């Protein structure tokens, strides 16, 4: 069971934390005009997104202390390779 904790919610940004046990997944949907930054505090995770109409996909190995920026629209799947704790910041669409 993944755990997401919203810490700060503003009109254009949200800041939160998440906890994933090994093998758990978290889906993040990025719409046009949005961006998300993930920074792992401990553990390890894999972030992937299929590309529409192509066989290749995006696959990122997130490491503790190295931020990952997701800005292309789509649905991203975060899979914990180990027990993982991280922070998440999202810039919402303007409007």
């Amino acid at each position: 069971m993944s755990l997401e904790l919203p810490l700060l919610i503003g009109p254009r940004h949200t800041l939160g934390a998440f906890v994933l046990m090994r093998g758990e997944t978290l889906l993040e949907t990025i719409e046009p005009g949005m961006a998300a930054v993930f920074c792992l505090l401990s553990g390890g995770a894999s972030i992937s997104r299929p590309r529409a109409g192509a066989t290749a996909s995006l696959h990122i190995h997130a490491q503790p202390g190295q931020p990952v920026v997701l800005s292309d629209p789509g649905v991203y799947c975060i899979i914990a390779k180990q027990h993982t704790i991280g922070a998440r910041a999202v810039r919402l669409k303007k409007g």
Side-chain angles (χ1 to χ4, degrees):
M1 176 175 103
S2 64
L3 176 64
E4 294 181 63
L5 304 168
L7 301 174
L8 179 64
I9 299 174
R12 293 191 49 205
H13 296 85
T14 63
L15 177 64
F18 61 92
V19 176
L20 298 172
M21 300 305 283
R22 182 176 164 215
E24 287 186 326
T25 61
L26 175 66
L27 294 177
E28 182 69 43
T29 302
I30 305 295
E31 297 177 10
M34 290 178 63
V37 177
F38 288 88
C39 188
L40 301 185
L41 304 174
S42 68
S46 175
I47 301 172
S48 62
R49 177 181 66 93
R51 295 183 191 264
T55 57
S57 65
L58 175 69
H59 193 80
I60 301 168
H61 294 284
Q63 300 293 328
Q66 298 177 351
V68 175
V69 179
L70 306 176
S71 59
D72 290 332
V75 178
Y76 293 83
C77 182
I78 296 104
I79 303 169
K81 296 189 294 184
Q82 306 165 5
H83 301 318
T84 303
I85 299 172
R88 170 183 167 264
V90 178
R91 182 188 71 203
L92 304 173
K93 293 190 303 185
K94 295 178 183 177

